[in-house]
Each structure stands twice: as C-alpha cells, then as structure tokens.
Amino acid sequence: MKEAIDYLSAVDPIFNVIIEKYGIPITPRRPQGLETLVLLILEQQVSIDSAKATFLKLRERIKIFEPTIFLDLADEEFRSIGVSRQKTSYIKALSTAVLSKNVDLESLASKTPEQVREELIKIKGIGNWTIDVYLMFSLQAPDLIPLGDVAVVNTIKELLDINEKEAMELHTEKWSPHRSYATFLLWHYYLKKRNRTIVYQY
C-alpha cells in the first residue's frame, strides 16, 4: 500500500489532495467465487447498499450459494426478494456456466487479468465493470481502472477536468502499475465527499 501511495502521489497531485482531505482508504476485499459474482451482478446499476439488502435476503432464502440451487429456484422466488427478471437470468447464466464447466472459478486466481476477462465476458450479464471489480476485490489485480464506473468517471471529471473517455484512458496510464489503488482512492473521495460509508464485506 505504501509503495502505491508514494508512487501515485509523486505522479499526480490529485492523490495528495484526496489523502490530505479524507485520509487513506481501506483496501476493499471480497472472497473469490460464485457468491461474490452474484453480489456483483446485484450491484450493477444500483447502489451498493440496495444490492447488499437484496443479497442478504437471497442468502437467507437459499443458505448455500450453489449453482444447482440457483437453477432450481423459480424466477418468481427471485422476484419476491427483489431480484429483477434480467438479473435473475444473469445469475442463472453464471450458474449454468459453472455447472457446465465453461468457467472454472477456482482456476481464475492463477490466470492473468486478460485471461480472466476472456473467460468471464462470455457469460451473459458479466460485463467489464463486473470483471474489473472482481479482479480488484477478489483476485487483487493491482493495475485496473474501471472507466465504466460512474463514481470513478465523475471524480476524474471533478478533480482533473477531463471529460472524454479517451483522454481519461491516456491520463490514467501514468498511474500504472497502481491503477487499482488509484481507483480505491477515487472511490474514497467520491464517498467521503457525500458523507457515505460503504462496507464492502458481507
């Protein structure tokens, strides 16, 4: 962590601004596997708090996150605990991919981020944002910046006055090889400024 902070602070003054104003964030961690990927599907395009509430209801309902259980659960039961029809189809697509061995979640930790992306992107409902967050939180990939994330994009716009995605990609290249920690700092700024506290564990 110290190496990343020292490097980022040296290459871009915005990180000194964030740290001086709001301190150093806790690095988010989540376990590897199906449970986290289901939670990330639920987090797509909604608040983390809202997704977590739905996730906890789902976990209370099924107890153990196994692909066969998800496939056996009726769509109406998903909807009764707040899972949309679309996200239900994504969870079932993920479960089918695991059962059919089209993806081996346990093997992902030994693969490069590019290989992980290549495997997961084939699954309906698993896009680049979901893959980026899984890589960063669960596989501890050190050098990712999810420019599909609203909080990251808005913070870059605010602090750097950069509005085009291509310009963002170009600017954030200098944050490599610590772009994941740069992302944690941007999220930290975004949440603290809005007096929001997020607990990533579940």
Side-chain angles (χ1 to χ4, degrees):
M1 183 191 297
K2 185 179 185 305
E3 179 187 349
I5 290 171
D6 289 347
Y7 178 85
L8 292 169
S9 299
V11 298
D12 204 320
I14 68 160
F15 296 112
N16 285 313
V17 171
I18 293 171
I19 292 167
E20 285 172 10
K21 192 164 188 178
Y22 295 121
I24 294 170
I26 295 171
T27 302
R29 291 280 187 268
R30 283 179 175 168
Q32 298 172 27
L34 182 66
E35 201 163 340
T36 291
L37 283 167
V38 169
L39 176 57
L40 289 174
I41 288 171
L42 295 175
E43 285 180 356
Q44 292 170 5
Q45 299 180 320
V46 300
S47 74
I48 288 176
D49 290 337
S50 171
K52 184 177 180 181
T54 303
F55 174 84
L56 292 175
K57 288 178 188 175
L58 182 60
R59 191 163 67 178
E60 176 63 25
R61 168 65 184 81
I62 67 171
K63 309 301 183 189
I64 301 172
F65 278 44
E66 294 286 350
T68 51
I69 296 175
F70 286 127
L71 292 173
D72 289 341
L73 196 66
D75 291 2
E76 291 74 19
E77 292 205 61
F78 277 103
R79 282 199 293 279
S80 72
I81 55 178
V83 183
S84 69
R85 179 178 280 102
Q86 186 178 51
K87 290 184 178 180
T88 296
S89 72
Y90 295 168
I91 292 169
K92 292 196 172 188
L94 172 61
S95 300
T96 298
V98 172
L99 273 179
S100 62
K101 302 193 185 304
N102 286 336
V103 63
D104 179 2
L105 298 182
E106 290 184 6
S107 73
L108 296 182
S110 63
K111 295 179 178 177
T112 67
E114 293 75 21
Q115 289 171 326
V116 172
R117 191 178 308 279
E118 188 178 330
E119 282 200 38
L120 292 180
I121 202 73
K122 296 173 185 175
I123 302 169
K124 178 186 176 186
I126 305 289
N128 282 313
W129 178 86
T130 302
I131 296 167
D132 284 342
V133 177
Y134 188 75
L135 281 163
M136 292 163 59
F137 284 26
S138 299
L139 301 180
Q140 282 80 61
D143 196 29
L144 292 170
I145 177 97
L147 292 178
D149 185 272
V150 173
V152 169
V153 168
N154 286 345
T155 303
I156 290 174
K157 287 178 179 178
E158 179 183 341
L159 295 179
L160 292 166
D161 194 26
I162 300 173
N163 296 289
E164 301 298 327
K165 187 175 180 182
E166 285 185 10
M168 290 182 188
E169 288 173 348
L170 189 63
H171 184 90
T172 58
E173 281 178 5
K174 68 180 180 180
W175 300 348
S176 182
H178 299 293
R179 284 177 290 187
S180 295
Y181 200 81
T183 301
F184 300 148
L185 284 163
L186 296 176
W187 276 330
H188 184 57
Y189 175 90
Y190 182 89
L191 293 168
K192 286 291 185 183
K193 187 175 182 185
R194 289 157 180 80
N195 294 314
R196 289 179 59 199
T197 300
I198 295 294
V199 178
Y200 291 106
Q201 288 75 24
Y202 53 87

